[in-house]
């Protein structure tokens, strides 16, 4: 019985290692950087110390690089109930990401936004983003 348990644990661990390797192998270089940058934007826009992140789609290989993610400010929320969305677009200057535009749900913020308040929020977020780099 002990041997069967040990063998089962070994098989499960090997499967988990293979799954992680497969995930890592398919994620494009820079995906973590783009994902983390978008999470930074979400936290600072919402003015919260942490968010619960659901699904993340990062595209560092596209022009401009960007990410989309679902999030919740409630840490006890079920994964299936995470539905707020954030979308971020960046550009690269001297190898560093620079915030180009972001959208929270259906409101977008950029330097060329028609709405004065949205331009202001973008400038504030861009300043916070640059300070963090």
């Amino acid at each position: 019985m002990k041997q069967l348990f040990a063998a089962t644990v070994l098989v499960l661990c090997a499967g988990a290692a293979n799954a992680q390797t497969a995930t890592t192998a398919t994620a494009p270089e820079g995906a973590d950087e783009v994902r983390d940058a978008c999470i930074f934007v979400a936290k600072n826009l919402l003015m919260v110390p942490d968010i619960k992140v659901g699904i993340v789609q990062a595209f560092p290989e596209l022009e401009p690089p960007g990410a989309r993610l679902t999030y919740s400010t409630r840490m006890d929320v079920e994964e299936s109930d995470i539905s707020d969305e954030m979308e971020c677009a960046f550009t690269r200057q001297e190898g560093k990401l620079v915030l180009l535009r972001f959208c929270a749900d259906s409101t977008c913020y950029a330097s060329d936004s028609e709405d004065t308040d949205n331009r202001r929020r973008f400038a504030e977020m861009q300043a916070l983003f640059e300070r963090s780099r």
Side-chain angles (χ1 to χ4, degrees):
M1 186 66 158
K2 259 184 169 176
Q3 292 170 336
L4 179 60
F5 178 74
T8 303
V9 169
L10 184 60
V11 168
L12 289 174
C13 288
N18 287 339
Q20 185 160 1
T21 302
T23 301
T24 304
T26 59
E29 184 177 331
D32 290 344
E33 179 186 22
V34 172
R35 179 201 67 219
D36 292 346
C38 197
I39 291 171
F40 175 87
V41 170
K43 287 180 185 180
N44 281 281
L45 179 68
L46 301 168
M47 298 177 63
V48 295
D50 208 3
I51 59 173
K52 185 165 184 179
V53 177
I55 296 171
V56 178
Q57 297 174 332
F59 304 98
E61 72 276 23
L62 297 181
E63 200 50 51
R68 290 187 311 210
L69 57 92
T70 58
Y71 69 89
S72 176
T73 55
R74 291 184 26 235
M75 302 315 266
D76 61 345
V77 69
E78 294 294 322
E79 293 284 330
S80 60
D81 293 330
I82 298 175
S83 61
D84 292 321
E85 295 179 24
M86 174 69 63
E87 183 177 335
C88 306
F90 304 93
T91 187
R92 286 203 180 269
Q93 291 180 358
E94 299 175 11
K96 292 184 178 182
L97 289 178
V98 175
L99 186 60
L100 190 61
R101 175 178 188 258
F102 65 95
C103 301
D105 293 314
S106 62
T107 303
C108 292
Y109 305 85
S111 61
D112 61 353
S113 293
E114 290 182 20
D115 186 274
T116 306
D117 289 337
N118 291 354
R119 280 195 312 270
R120 172 64 188 215
R121 292 298 156 280
F122 174 77
E124 292 169 351
M125 189 58 58
Q126 198 171 38
L128 290 171
F129 190 77
E130 288 174 12
R131 289 179 200 165
S132 73
R133 304 288 163 206

